[in-house]
Amino acid sequence: MLGSDGTGDEEPLFRPYAVTGGRAEPRYHLAMETLVSSSAIMDEELALLTPEQDAIIRLCRSFRSVAEISALLRVPLGVARVLVADMADEGLVRLHQPRLDQGQPDLNMLERVLSGLRRL
């Protein structure tokens, strides 16, 4: 993405805390390794999304962690958590929380996160 001056300097897609109303924490715990995927959305519904929601929907066509979303949108992790949690509440994305209460992390989840980090 080109910066406003036409250089290759990337700027955030949006002003981070403006879109969260100043909130830095979601209403519930959302781990940075939580995977996010887009819900099925009709094309006419896409036109109603905010630019931030649209960017997240497009990123999450394949599984992305909250940390990846934060990095790719160049926003603080807290802002990404708030946006993703709000979108999950609206049914726009699905959350795939890791099951760490079973004592062992899911190997598939770890491989997907590692793969995503390598692509960054």
Side-chain angles (χ1 to χ4, degrees):
M1 172 171 32
L2 291 179
S4 58
D5 60 358
T7 67
D9 295 334
E10 292 187 24
E11 296 177 1
L13 182 60
F14 47 88
R15 296 203 183 271
Y17 292 98
V19 297
T20 64
R23 292 181 296 148
E25 292 293 324
R27 293 180 180 95
Y28 50 88
H29 177 71
L30 192 60
M32 69 180 188
E33 67 270 12
T34 298
L35 295 178
V36 183
S37 63
S38 300
S39 298
I41 297 176
M42 307 283 270
D43 287 338
E44 52 271 3
E45 292 175 331
L46 284 174
L48 303 175
L49 298 176
T50 65
E52 306 82 43
Q53 290 172 327
D54 184 60
I56 292 172
I57 291 290
R58 292 180 192 286
L59 281 175
C60 295
R61 287 184 175 154
S62 59
F63 285 89
R64 300 275 187 181
S65 69
V66 175
E68 284 180 285
I69 294 167
S70 171
L72 293 169
L73 293 182
R74 299 177 52 104
V75 298
L77 184 58
V79 171
R81 284 180 171 149
V82 169
L83 291 171
V84 168
D86 289 352
M87 290 177 70
D89 288 344
E90 294 176 35
L92 298 172
V93 296
R94 288 187 216 105
L95 302 178
H96 309 275
Q97 300 274 12
R99 293 189 164 173
L100 300 177
D101 58 335
Q102 297 175 346
Q104 295 286 335
D106 178 28
L107 187 56
N108 282 334
M109 186 267 305
L110 292 174
E111 289 173 354
R112 290 192 305 259
V113 170
L114 182 58
S115 174
L117 290 173
R118 286 182 179 142
R119 287 184 296 212
L120 289 177

